[in-house]
Amino acid sequence: MWLNTIASGVVSAGTCGSLLAYSFGSHPGVTGLQVLTISMASIITGGLIHIVARTLLDAGDRER
């Protein structure tokens, strides 16, 4: 289902993008805690999208 692809993209962009950008040199005023907060928020958001996708797939199976 396409929602799982979106969930993977959210997690990848949120974690890898934030950590890589921080490793190349942080912008003044951006702390490691803020980067970790963004990473955790993206993991949680991706997980919630994945759960919605699983719920929709289970509902579709029950209708058949």
Side-chain angles (χ1 to χ4, degrees), residues 10-11 13-19 22 29-46:
V10 167
V11 172
T15 56
C16 296
S18 297
L19 293 173
Y22 187 72
V30 177
T31 65
L33 181 60
Q34 290 172 324
V35 173
L36 288 175
T37 302
I38 291 170
S39 296
M40 289 306 297
S42 65
I43 291 170
I44 291 168
T45 303

Side-chain angles (χ1 to χ4, degrees), residues 40-54:
M40 289 306 297
S42 65
I43 291 170
I44 291 168
T45 303
L48 290 174
I49 294 171
H50 175 72
I51 290 170
V52 167
R54 286 184 61 121

